[in-house]
Amino acid sequence: MFVLHIALQGCLRGDGVVYGLTADTGGHIRYLLDLVSASVQDRDLTRIVVATRLFRGSLGAAYAVPEEPIADKVTLVRLASASPDYRAKEAMHAEVTSFAENLITWIAAQDRAPDLIHAHYADAATVAALVEDRLGIPFVFTAHSLGRVKATMLGTAPVRPDLARRIAAEEEAVARAQLVIASSRDEAEVQYAGYAAYDPGRVRVLPPGSDLARFAAAQTHPRVDAAIDRFLDDPDRPAILALARPVARKNLAALVRAYGESRALQAHANLVIIAGTRDDIDTLDGDMAATMRDLLVLIDRYDLYGRVAYPKTHRPEDVPAIYAHARTRGGLFVNPALNEPFGLTLLEASAAGLPLVATDSGGPNDIVETCGNGLLVDPRTHGAIAEACLRILGDPVLYARCVAGGARAAAAYDWDRHAARYHVLLRALLSPEPPTQTPRQLLVCDIDNTLVGCDAAMGIFRRWRSRQAGLAFGVATGRSFHSAMAVLEQQDSPRPQVMITSVGSEIYHLDANGVTYTADAAWRRIIEPGWDRPAVQAALDRLDGLSPQGPLEQRALKLSYFGDTEAERRVRARLAEAGIAARVIHSHGRYLDVLPEAASKGTAVDHVRALYDLPEHAVFVAGDSGNDIEMLGARVQAIIVANYSDDLASHAALKHSYVSRRTHARGIIEGVSHFRRMLADAG
C-alpha cells in the first residue's frame, strides 16, 4: 500500500522542526510526523510520501530542498506552487490549484500511483479532490482544526473572507472524503456537527498518540531552570505552566488575566508561559506579534514582574525539562485555549507528572474523562481558571489523584495502537467487504461487559462470526456511535452491520464500502414526535439526587444523568407530574437515561428486524445489565451472559431468557447455539 500525505501549512521538515516559528507551524506537523513514523512498522505499507510546499526566504534553506528522506519507506517531497515565498494559511488558497497540478505531474512520473491520499487541513483536501477528479485516487481527511469553530470563537459577523473560504473548503472536504478522521469525540460529535455535509457515520475517532516515555522520564536541566528562574523573585514556588504558540485561539491572555486578578493564586504560585520562539516581536508571523504584545501589556497592567516568567526561546528537546521544572516545584499545567482540537501538550504534561487545568472545548474532554488527570474549565471565565488552579494546588488528595491519572495516559494514547486501527481502515476502504444484503438471521448484542470485557472470548467470537453466513451482526449500546465504534475497533471486534446507539435513540447502517455508516433517518422520524427535550431538561433541573452526565453524553434524543434508584423514582414522578411522555432507563445502579417514549434498544431492534424482513424466531439479542431489559424482554430469543448485573436473571420480565454458563462473547455464542438447537428440534 502506497499512502500519500498532503500538508501545505507551516514549515515542515523531517527533523528539527522549529515549532512556533510561524503561526502555522504547530501540532498538526507533530501529528503527521509521528503518524508516518508509527506507520513504517506496517509491512503492508510499502511507501509513504509527505507532499508539502517548496518555498524560499528568510525562514531557512531547508524548505527549498525538493526531496528529503525522513525514515525507511518515508520521503518528504516539496513541490513548487504559484508563489515562491512562504504563505500563511489565510493566503494558501491562492496556491492550491498550481500545487495540485505539480502534484499530478509528480504522481504521473512515479512507478506506481498512490493507493490513497490523506489530506491534512482543508487546503490539502482541496488539492486531494483535484487529484481525485483527474486520477481517481480516493482520499481521507483530517481537519486538525475547523474554521466554523474558529468563527464561533471569534464571534464576528459577518465571517472574515479568508475564514469563509476555509469553511467552504472544509464543507467540500467533509462531503467528498471517503472517511473523516477526528482526534476526539468532541471533534466528531460537536465540532463537525456544524457542517451541512456532516454525517457522523463517516467520521472515525482515532486519538493521536505521543512519545510519552520521554516525558514520563523527564528530568530538570540547569539551563532550562536558569532560563525560567531569572524572571522570578521566588523560583521555588509552585509553577503554573502554559506551553503554546502565541496565537489568539490559544487564549494565553485569559490565563494572565486569571492570575493577575487572583491575589490568592499570586500568593501561592508563579506563572510560567512558554510561548514559542522569538527574537524580535515585530518579526513574528500572523497574529503572534499582537498576541505577545497583549501578554506583555497584561503583565505590566497587573504588575506581575517577579512572578511571571516568559522566556524568549526554547529548543524542542527542552520541553520535557520544562515540564519537569514545574513538576519538581509542585506545579500544574494549564491549557486555556478557546478550543483545542486534541491537546498533545496535555498528554505530555500529564505523563511528566503534572495535574491539568484545561479548556472544556475540544479534545481535553476526552483526555480528562479517560485519564482523570485534571479539571475542565470554561476558558472565557477567568475566575474559573484561577479557581481550578487553586483547587488542585490546595488539595493534596486531588493533586495526587490527578498525577496518578496522568500515568494512564501512555496506555490510552499510543501511536502504535493509532496506526494499527488507521491501517485497518485504509485497507478496508481499498478492499471493501459489503454488508450482508439479505440476511437470514440477526444477532444484536450489548457492547460493554457483553460483547467486550474478555480478550480471549473476543478472539473466539471473531472466528465464530467469520463462519456465520447469512447472519447479520449488530450492537445495541448506551454509548454514542463514535464512543461505541472506538471501543469495538480497539477490541478488534467484527464490524457490525447495524449499530443501535445512545440507548436505542439512534440507528446506523453499514455502507457498501464496509467502513462508513449512514444514520437511519426513518427511525428518527418515528421516535421524534412528542419529544420535548427542553421541557424534560427543565423538569429535571436540580432534582435531588440527580446530576447530569458529561456534555458528550447528552444527545438530541437522549438526556443522561447519574442517579440511584431513589433518583429514578423521583424522575418518573416529576415527568408524570409535568405531563411529559418519555422513557426512563436505569442501569448499573447509577446511570439514568431519558429518551423519547418510542425509543429503546428493543423498539430499535424491532425496527431493524422489519427492515430485514425477518421473522421473530430469526432474531437473537444478548445483554448483561438493566439498560438491556427492554430489549431482552421484547425478544423471544434473549440471551443473558453469565457475568450479568442488576439481578437480570431474576427479573420477572426475563423468565424466558437463556442464561449462559459462559461470560461475555462466549456467552453470546452459547446462547445462539442453544436457540438454534431449539429451532432445529422444533422443526
Side-chain angles (χ1 to χ4, degrees):
M1 183 164 54
F2 174 9
V3 177
L4 170 64
H5 293 267
I6 304 175
L8 304 184
Q9 295 184 20
C11 297
L12 179 55
R13 53 196 296 178
D15 60 14
V17 175
V18 184
Y19 294 102
L21 178 63
T22 68
D24 303 331
T25 306
H28 77 285
I29 289 178
R30 170 79 178 280
Y31 174 110
L32 175 55
L33 293 175
D34 284 352
L35 173 58
V36 298
S37 177
S39 295
V40 167
Q41 301 175 44
D42 192 313
R43 294 179 182 178
D44 288 348
L45 263 73
T46 55
R47 189 180 183 194
I48 304 169
V49 171
V50 178
T52 191
R53 283 187 70 240
L54 183 149
F55 58 86
R56 295 175 170 81
S58 61
L59 293 173
Y63 309 111
V65 177
E67 191 167 303
E68 178 187 344
I70 295 180
D72 182 37
K73 301 190 291 189
V74 184
T75 306
L76 176 62
V77 172
R78 296 185 179 90
L79 301 172
S81 60
S83 170
D85 303 320
Y86 178 80
R87 284 288 177 262
K89 61 187 175 187
E90 291 81 7
M92 193 64 71
H93 65 280
E95 309 300 314
V96 164
T97 302
S98 56
F99 183 89
E101 288 297 330
N102 288 335
L103 181 59
I104 290 167
T105 301
W106 180 87
I107 292 172
Q110 305 307 300
D111 293 337
R112 57 171 290 205
D115 295 294
L116 189 136
I117 292 172
H118 189 157
H120 300 266
Y121 271 108
D123 43 36
T126 303
V127 171
L130 292 170
V131 174
E132 184 179 34
D133 289 341
R134 194 83 62 85
L135 303 179
I137 303 171
F139 73 94
V140 299
F141 173 54
T142 298
H144 295 284
S145 67
L146 288 164
R148 283 202 185 281
V149 176
K150 183 172 183 178
T152 300
M153 289 189 305
L154 294 174
T156 55
V159 176
R160 286 184 345 218
D162 63 290
L163 205 47
R165 270 194 302 268
R166 174 179 167 185
I167 292 169
E170 289 166 351
E171 282 282 11
E172 183 181 10
V174 172
R176 290 200 49 172
Q178 293 283 307
L179 187 70
V180 176
I181 297 175
S183 293
S184 68
R185 280 183 62 198
D186 184 271
E187 185 181 1
E189 299 177 5
V190 178
Q191 297 178 43
Y192 274 110
Y195 288 78
Y198 173 66
D199 184 346
R202 292 178 54 249
V203 182
R204 274 300 200 285
V205 177
L206 295 181
S210 185
D211 179 15
L212 297 183
R214 71 189 186 103
F215 297 101
Q219 298 296 320
T220 57
H221 191 287
R223 175 175 49 78
V224 171
D225 287 348
I228 296 171
D229 291 350
R230 68 189 182 90
F231 288 87
L232 304 171
D233 293 338
D234 184 359
D236 293 329
R237 294 198 309 165
I240 298 169
L241 172 65
L243 191 155
R245 287 171 294 135
V247 293
R249 74 178 184 86
K250 294 298 184 180
N251 201 32
L252 292 172
L255 177 57
V256 178
R257 288 191 178 95
Y259 184 78
E261 293 170 6
S262 173
R263 294 289 185 187
L265 202 52
Q266 292 176 45
H268 198 98
N270 293 318
L271 178 61
V272 178
I273 298 178
I274 309 297
T277 296
R278 62 190 182 276
D279 290 320
D280 187 332
I281 287 178
D282 289 337
T283 66
L284 289 174
D285 181 60
D287 69 351
M288 293 198 295
T291 299
M292 279 306 308
R293 287 195 189 92
D294 288 345
L295 296 180
L296 296 177
V297 167
L298 288 169
I299 290 168
D300 188 74
R301 178 180 301 162
Y302 292 112
D303 193 17
L304 300 177
Y305 300 105
R307 284 164 287 177
V308 178
Y310 42 98
K312 292 183 68 170
T313 62
H314 70 281
R315 306 169 189 171
E317 61 268 25
D318 292 340
V319 174
I322 292 169
Y323 293 132
H325 176 280
R327 182 196 66 219
T328 58
R329 288 158 176 77
L332 53 80
F333 184 79
V334 181
N335 179 332
L338 292 170
N339 176 268
E340 185 61 66
F342 182 63
L344 285 175
T345 55
L346 294 175
L347 295 180
E348 295 170 355
S350 198
L354 288 171
L356 309 177
V357 171
T359 175
D360 64 0
S361 177
N365 282 288
D366 288 35
I367 292 172
V368 171
E369 179 183 14
T370 299
C371 302
N373 49 354
L375 300 176
L376 298 173
V377 295
D378 180 348
R380 295 170 179 81
T381 307
H382 310 145
I385 297 173
E387 182 181 344
C389 291
L390 284 168
R391 182 179 167 194
I392 292 176
L393 292 173
D395 185 342
V397 174
L398 175 59
Y399 192 101
R401 189 162 67 239
C402 292
V403 170
R408 293 191 283 270
Y413 297 95
D414 176 75
W415 270 119
D416 290 340
R417 185 181 292 111
H418 174 107
R421 289 180 58 202
Y422 170 68
H423 296 150
V424 166
L425 290 170
L426 297 192
R427 281 189 284 266
L429 285 171
L430 295 172
S431 302
E433 294 183 13
T436 305
Q437 295 300 310
T438 55
R440 298 189 299 275
Q441 292 182 319
L442 170 65
L443 166 64
V444 178
C445 55
D446 178 48
I447 296 178
D448 295 283
N449 296 314
T450 301
L451 178 63
V452 306
C454 174
D455 293 342
M458 177 56 77
I460 294 168
F461 185 84
R462 280 194 298 271
R463 294 189 290 275
W464 176 83
R465 171 74 185 102
S466 68
R467 301 190 298 268
Q468 305 304 308
L471 175 70
F473 164 58
V475 295
T477 177
R479 292 178 178 268
S480 71
F481 170 83
H482 296 102
S483 175
M485 185 55 67
V487 169
L488 293 171
E489 290 180 348
Q490 287 164 3
Q491 297 294 320
D492 198 17
S493 164
R495 188 163 288 124
Q497 182 164 332
V498 61
M499 294 187 64
I500 296 167
T501 63
S502 298
V503 206
S505 61
E506 300 171 18
I507 302 176
Y508 298 86
H509 300 280
L510 186 62
D511 295 329
N513 63 17
V515 174
T516 60
Y517 288 77
T518 297
D520 192 323
W523 177 241
R524 178 166 185 144
R525 289 194 296 270
I526 289 170
I527 66 173
E528 193 168 27
W531 170 246
D532 190 341
R533 190 179 188 277
V536 173
Q537 203 165 12
L540 302 182
D541 186 38
R542 299 179 183 176
L543 190 66
D544 287 347
L546 194 69
S547 60
Q549 293 183 32
L552 292 178
E553 304 311 319
Q554 313 304 331
R555 313 290 294 171
L557 298 174
K558 176 175 77 79
L559 285 165
S560 295
Y561 300 88
F562 295 111
D564 58 17
T565 53
E566 179 59 26
E568 177 195 7
R569 185 194 64 76
R570 291 195 191 98
V571 166
R572 293 183 186 278
R574 178 65 60 84
L575 293 175
E577 180 185 330
I580 297 172
R583 188 182 295 268
V584 179
I585 296 177
H586 193 242
S587 60
H588 297 289
R590 67 187 298 259
Y591 300 113
L592 194 149
D593 298 295
V594 184
L595 315 168
E597 192 173 27
S600 71
K601 288 183 179 182
T603 55
V605 170
D606 208 50
H607 175 77
V608 174
R609 181 190 67 80
L611 286 178
Y612 291 169
D613 195 24
L614 292 173
E616 173 62 35
H617 66 263
V619 180
F620 311 99
V621 293
D624 75 291
S625 71
N627 70 11
D628 300 315
I629 289 174
E630 202 275 344
M631 176 177 74
L632 296 169
R635 300 268 79 82
V636 173
Q637 299 182 130
I639 303 160
I640 299 174
V641 294
N643 56 295
Y644 63 84
S645 62
D646 296 332
D647 202 23
L648 216 59
S650 302
H651 197 283
L654 304 183
K655 296 297 185 184
H656 65 287
S657 301
Y658 176 77
V659 182
S660 295
R661 295 184 299 276
R662 293 182 172 88
T663 67
H664 303 97
R666 275 182 284 203
I668 298 171
I669 297 170
E670 178 188 331
V672 171
S673 299
H674 165 78
F675 284 118
R676 281 176 171 170
R677 284 194 301 271
M678 288 184 60
L679 286 171
D681 292 345

